[in-house]
Amino acid sequence: MNPPGPQSLEAAQREAAEAKLWSAVAALEEHAALARHLAENMLDTVPPDYVTAAQHSADLAASLRERIVIATPTAPPDPE
């Protein structure tokens, strides 16, 4: 069996990096959803600024998603 060539190695590394970027988008979106939930359901206490945290994570996720889509022609569609 022949070892993988440089093109195969590069393609595998590129795919792995892209998968990690999409995982980061998902993690940011999950954090935004959790922070929004906490902000909505902790009205009787004085919570940390969950609204700002949610918006920050949502903005980062959207920015990262946009950059991935621009950089990769096979990027998945926007979930909205």
Side-chain angles (χ1 to χ4, degrees), residues 6-73:
Q7 290 176 337
S8 296
L9 290 172
E10 186 279 331
Q13 184 66 32
R14 183 175 7 96
E15 289 172 10
E18 184 179 343
K20 290 174 185 177
L21 289 170
W22 284 115
S23 292
V25 170
L28 288 164
E29 290 172 342
E30 290 167 7
H31 175 257
L34 173 65
R36 274 196 289 296
H37 175 78
L38 292 172
E40 292 167 1
N41 293 293
M42 295 186 70
L43 298 175
D44 58 335
T45 64
V46 180
D49 198 352
Y50 293 125
V51 173
T52 300
Q55 189 59 53
H56 181 69
S57 287
D59 290 346
L60 284 173
S63 177
L64 183 54
R65 176 184 297 282
E66 182 179 315
R67 289 173 184 263
I68 297 168
V69 169
I70 289 169
T72 57

